[in-house]
Amino acid sequence: MAVHSFRIGAATAAAALGLLSAPAPGAAGAAPPHAATTEVAGPGTAVASRFVPGPCPRTPEPIEALATARCGFLEVPENRARPGGRTVRLAVAVIPAASAKPAQDPVVFMSGGPGGETFDDIPFLVGSGLNRDRDLIVMAQRGNLYDKPNLACPELDRFNAESVGLPSYAPQTERLMLDAVKRCRARLTADGTDLSAYNSTENAADFADLRTALGIKQWNVYGHSYGSDLAMTYLRLHPQGIRAVAFDSFTPPQSVSLPFAWAGAQEGLDHLYKACAAEPRCQGRYPDLARSLNEQVRKLEDRPLTLNVRPPQGGDPVQVVLDGGALVNLLVAKAIPFKDVPAAIDELGRGRPERFARARAAGSVQVTGQTAHGMTNSVVCSEWVPDHSPSDVLAAGRRAFPGWPDPVLAQAPQLAFQDQVCRVWNVPDRTAVQRAAPVSPVPTLFLNGTFDMKTGASWAQKTARTLPRSTTVQIPGIGHWVVPQSPCAQKVLASFLTRPAAPDTGCVAGLKWEPFTITPK
C-alpha cells in the first residue's frame, strides 16, 4: 500500500471564505460535456472557476477504475484574495457507480496527507465499496501530483531515502533536512508559486467550486486523516449541498498540532498494551510490554545500533541507524504490523533488532516526486505549528511518556525539526481562522481505529458534541485509515450513506483485534 497517512507526518517533516451561487440542475455526479464555469464570491472579489473535461491521468501503475471514469480538471484561482492572480488546475475523476440504478447523491473523497497522492487511493476506495451505489468523485487537492502546479519536493524525497542511515535528531540530520527544504522552497517560489495559498481554506473552497461546476445539487463527503480535517473545514465554511459527512481517522482542525501528535501516540499504544493484556497468550508471553518498550527507547537513544539491512522491497543492503527516535516513529507509522509489535519489542530486547531494522530500511526506497511535500509544509506551517512552542511539544511528550529521553520527546512523532522547517518555509499563521469546529445539523459519522497512533480515537467523541446528528464508531485493533482495513467499517459507512440519520452499526459488537504473534522464548 502506498503512503496513506495523516503525515502528522509526511516525510517532509520526518523523515501530515465565500458562498457559491446556486448550481444549475443536473444529473448528480455527471461531468458536464463541456467546460462549466461558476462565479465564486471570494474575499472582496469575484473570480471564475471552471471544470474542463479531459483525459484521466496516466498513473505509473494502471488503475482499473479510471478506464471507465470521466475525468478532467478544475481550474480555480490560486489565491482567491488576489484578483487577477494566476489559476491552478486540479485533476478530477468521476468514477461511475457499480449499481445499475445509482443514488443521485454522489460521494466525494478528501484524501489524507496533507500532500498525499490522491489517485493512488482509488483502488482502496473502490475495493471498499465507495462506488457501489453512487458515483465516486476524486479530486487531487491543490499542489498534488497530476495538478498544475505540482508541489512535489524531490529534494526531500532524496533526503528521506538518505535519512535512514542517520541518527534521527542529530545536528547533521537537521542540517541536511533544512537544506532540502530550502532548495525546494526556492525552486517552487522561483516558478511563481504562492505558498501561502496552499491551505485548508482554499482547499475547501476548491471542493465547493467542484460541486457547483459539476452541476451537483447535493453530495456526500468522505474524508480520511487530513481529509477529515479538510472535511470539517468544508462543512464549516461551505455547508451548502452537503447531505452527509463521514470522517475516517478523525483529525480535528481545532486541535491538531505538534503536541497533539504525542497524545495520539500515547492513546494508540495504550490501546495496544491493553489488548495484549486482555489476550491470555500475549499477556503470558509479553507480561510488561510498556516497560519493555520504554527500556528500548532509552537504550537505543543512548546507544544507537548501526546495521546493514536489505530493504523489504529488495535490492542491496543499506545502512540504517536504529535509535530511540527511529523506534518511536516506526511504531507511529505502523511500519510494524500491529499483531507483530509485541514480538518485535521482545526480540529487540533480546538483541534481535531485525524487524525494526527492516522497517527502517524500507524508507530508503522512495517514490521521487509522488508526495506534494510543498503542500504538506504549507498546511503544517500555517495551521498546526504557529501557536505552540518547542517547550509545549516537550511538555506534551513528557506527559505522554514520562521517562523517555528528552531528545526523543522534543520532536513530535513524524514531525522532526518542524519549527525550524517552518521558519524556512515562511508562510503566514492561519491558526486563528482554522482552529474552529463546525456546529451543524448535517448527519456525520466518525470511524476510528483503536490502535491508531497518529490521531487518537477519543478525539471523535470530543468533537461530536457540536454535531448533534453524529454517530461515533471505534473499530478494535485497526490503525490509521479504517475503512479499507475493516469489512465492518465498510458496512457501517455504506449504511450511513444510505441512511445518514440511522446507520446500522451492529457489526461492531463483538469485534476483536487480530491475535498477536507469539514467538518462542
Side-chain angles (χ1 to χ4, degrees), residues 269 272 289 312 330-345 347 354-356 358-360 451 453 477-479 485 513-517:
L269 271 171
L272 189 144
L289 197 55
L330 290 169
L331 288 171
V332 171
K334 197 193 168 185
I336 305 290
F338 292 127
K339 68 184 181 67
D340 296 335
V341 166
I345 294 172
E347 289 168 353
E354 291 83 8
R355 290 187 200 254
F356 282 107
R358 284 195 301 270
R360 178 80 159 147
F451 289 180
M453 299 180 199
I478 297 293
Q485 303 178 69
W513 53 88
E514 186 176 2
F516 292 105
T517 299

Side-chain angles (χ1 to χ4, degrees), residues 428-443:
D429 179 350
R430 296 187 53 81
T431 53
V433 298
Q434 181 62 17
R435 290 192 177 278
V439 177
S440 173
V442 171

Side-chain angles (χ1 to χ4, degrees), residues 365-411:
V365 181
Q366 297 281 324
V367 182
T368 303
Q370 183 178 52
T371 300
H373 298 299
M375 174 63 171
T376 307
N377 276 335
S378 286
V379 172
V380 171
C381 292
S382 65
E383 299 174 12
W384 300 358
V385 168
D387 61 348
H388 292 91
S389 69
S391 62
D392 293 330
V393 177
L394 178 59
R398 286 171 173 170
R399 286 193 300 271
F401 299 102
W404 282 14
D406 278 358
V408 172
L409 300 176
Q411 306 290 341

Side-chain angles (χ1 to χ4, degrees), residues 23 34 37 52 98 113 130 132 137 166 199 201 203 229-230 261 263 282-283 310 333 344 346 381 403 413 423 491 513:
H34 52 77
T37 302
V52 180
L130 264 294
R132 186 184 66 185
I137 301 172
L166 302 171
N199 58 65
T201 298
N203 215 350
D229 179 328
L230 175 58
C282 189
Q283 169 64 14
R310 192 179 304 277
D346 178 75
C381 292
R423 284 196 288 272
K491 292 178 183 177
W513 53 88

